[in-house]
Every structure is written in C-alpha cells, then in structure tokens.
Amino acid sequence: GAGVSQSPSNKVTEKGKDVELRCDPISGHTALYWYRQSLGQGLEFLIYFQGNSAPDKSGLPSDRFSAERTGGSVSTLTIQRTQQEDSAVYLCASSLLPLPLHFGNGTRLTVT
Amino acid sequence: GENVEQHPSTLSVQEGDSAVIKCTYSDSASNYFPWYKQELGKRPQLIIDIRSNVGEKKDQRIAVTLNKTAKHFSLHITETQPEDSAVYFCAAAGRLYFGRGTQLTVWP
C-alpha cells in the first residue's frame, strides 16, 4: 500500500520567508511525528500527534515553528521567517500504535 | 523526556567481521527499542526492534540485546557485507527519541 508521502521533496527559500511542509501519513495511522535531520546529524524530534490528544510540541526549536494535523490525517509543518540554520531534511513518520514508525522520504529545505 | 546515547558515532569494519553498536536510555518506562538503517539520501528503514519483555531478538545476521536493569541495548551485525554500510539509529519509546546515529562502513 501507499507509504508516508511528503511534499515538496525539495524546497529552496529565501531567508525571512515562510514555508509549509506537508505530510500525508499512511491511512489509519493514529500517530504522526515530525523530525529534523541536519546534514550528517541524527534525528531531532520536533512534534508528535496522537489521535485527538493535544500534540507534544516539546521538540519545536522556537516559536517560528508550528504544526497542525487536520482531521487526524494530513499534517503541515510551518516555519515562519526562515533562517539559514533551518536548512535540513524534515522527516515525517506515522505509526499505528504501538509502533513501529514508517518514514516519508523527507523534504530537503534550503534557506539561502 | 527520554535521553538516548549512541556509541560509537563511526565504525569501520572489514567485510566478514562483526559490528556492535550500543545505546543507553534514561527513562525506565521506555518499553520499545527499534533500530533504523538509513542509506545515503534515503529514508530511515526499520531493521529490527525489541520490546521490554524480551532480552534478545535475532533476524538472520542481525540481533538486538536489551538489558533493562542497566538501561542499555545493542545492535549486533555478524558477517558484515559492504551493503551493510549506512547510518544506524537506535531509539527508545514511549515517544520515540533517537540516538545520534552510527556511520558504519564495511570495507570489502
């Protein structure tokens, strides 16, 4: 079946612009995660959605970052006033609890 | 939250040798420990996982061991092959926190 789909696959934006990254999880998966992976680095947790519960936003690095998940399915990660240090691959993953995670291919964000 | 430490950060082995990657975690409530393999430019893929009610799990050349008392778990790859070269991530759950990854290089 279809896996986790992320769009766009690549995004180049100018410093100071806002960007939106989209994640379509596997149908029926109740849990959705966003991670950030900087070049040569590990997977940094950003935010976690589980069903109708309040999301765990403890990993968001600043108030420029926000995410929402509409209807318990599609999620959008928004970065406002992008900075060069925001350049990274943003990975979305979903799961039908208890686990494991299924990752999307990621969105490579480059802030110039 | 959970704190996952992974060692080593890089590991080079000769083809046919074994490779061991170790992780420690801090939250004693964590009950699920997956390992992911990420090839260059690709998404992380689950290769093996273990739950807290089991001490060891094996799948062909890959095995994972868990010591809940010491709060550490390890990935063991035997008879390594060049295609095993990748970055390997451990994680601990509840909510999944990942280690920083290990770049494994297998020399033919």
Side-chain angles (χ1 to χ4, degrees), chain A residues 2-3 5 15 23 29 35 39 41 46 48 58 61 63 85 89 91 94 102 106-107:
Chain A
S5 177
K15 177 182 174 181
C23 173
H29 279 194
Y35 290 89
L39 187 63
Q41 300 299 310
L46 297 177
Y48 165 56
S58 60
D63 58 9
E85 59 263 29
V89 174
L91 288 161
S94 71
H102 299 263
T107 294

Side-chain angles (χ1 to χ4, degrees), chain A residues 3-4 33 35 37 41-43 45 48 56 58 91 98-105 108, chain B residues 32 34 36 38 41-46 49 51 89 93-101:
Chain A
V4 177
Y33 296 74
Y35 290 89
Q37 188 173 32
Q41 300 299 310
L43 295 164
F45 168 77
Y48 165 56
D56 178 351
S58 60
L91 288 161
L99 288 157
L101 294 187
H102 299 263
F103 282 89
N105 283 322
R108 182 174 298 279
Chain B
Y32 174 71
Y36 286 82
Q38 187 177 28
K42 297 187 177 180
R43 74 182 83 179
Q45 298 271 19
L46 178 73
D49 56 10
R51 299 188 186 275
F89 293 97
R95 171 188 331 117
L96 273 190
Y97 290 91
F98 284 85
R100 291 184 177 275

Side-chain angles (χ1 to χ4, degrees), chain A residues 31-65:
Chain A
L32 187 147
Y33 296 74
W34 283 97
Y35 290 89
R36 177 169 70 175
Q37 188 173 32
S38 301
L39 187 63
Q41 300 299 310
L43 295 164
E44 177 188 4
F45 168 77
L46 297 177
I47 189 168
Y48 165 56
F49 296 90
Q50 171 50 45
N52 296 320
S53 302
D56 178 351
K57 304 179 181 181
S58 60
L60 295 178
S62 78
D63 58 9
R64 296 186 295 105
F65 287 73

